[in-house]
Amino acid sequence: MTPRSSRTVRANAQDAALRRARAIDFWQSAEDLSELGGDPNSMASLYILAGIAASDAICASKLGEHSIGENHADALGVLRRADPSLVASLQRLLSRKTEAGYGGAAVSAQRLAELRRAAERLVQAARLVPPAR
């Protein structure tokens, strides 16, 4: 992959497929952990990672690039170009990343359900987007 700028990296069909597979794996891990009655913060973190990977897959498929780096505004901007209808879902996930991964308090059941819905929307969209050319 050749860098396009400091905020994105070129991506091909193989990259998109890899990010899609990663999104599905994170999603399934969160679901499995839920069935086992696992830690809500761990589940939340997995849903967040699933959504991020799904966003990358969507952008890679539709734009031939995806965001890299830690700046969440960059990732939202790239997704906005690929599919503006999904930006709110990614925003919701990214806004809770620190809380889920590093916060001292447990993620509430309501918050976890919110994150699950946002991740599900992105993962489902990633499953449906045609592979990059």
Side-chain angles (χ1 to χ4, degrees):
M1 293 185 283
T2 305
R4 286 192 54 156
S5 74
S6 62
R7 297 177 296 162
T8 63
V9 65
R10 289 191 191 278
N12 58 31
Q14 183 179 354
D15 300 320
L18 181 64
R19 295 304 292 158
R20 184 180 298 110
R22 179 76 42 86
I24 293 166
D25 286 347
F26 283 136
W27 169 263
Q28 191 57 57
S29 294
E31 294 290 285
D32 292 347
L33 192 55
S34 177
E35 286 181 21
L36 295 171
D39 174 59
N41 289 54
S42 297
M43 286 182 276
S45 292
L46 288 166
Y47 286 131
I48 291 165
L49 291 172
I52 292 168
S55 174
D56 287 348
I58 292 162
C59 293
S61 292
K62 291 187 172 189
L63 303 174
E65 66 181 354
H66 65 81
S67 179
I68 58 172
E70 296 296 318
N71 188 337
H72 296 169
D74 291 344
L76 294 167
V78 176
L79 183 59
R80 186 171 286 109
R81 290 189 355 239
D83 189 334
S85 72
L86 296 172
V87 171
S89 293
L90 183 60
Q91 174 74 47
R92 182 166 289 110
L93 293 169
L94 293 174
S95 72
R96 299 298 176 191
K97 187 177 175 190
T98 300
E99 173 190 344
Y102 308 108
V107 172
S108 70
Q110 179 181 355
R111 177 89 65 218
L112 185 61
E114 204 177 277
L115 295 173
R116 184 184 184 278
R117 282 190 302 273
E120 182 175 33
R121 187 157 187 248
L122 286 157
V123 171
Q124 288 303 330
R127 287 178 193 222
L128 296 175
V129 74
R133 293 172 241 169

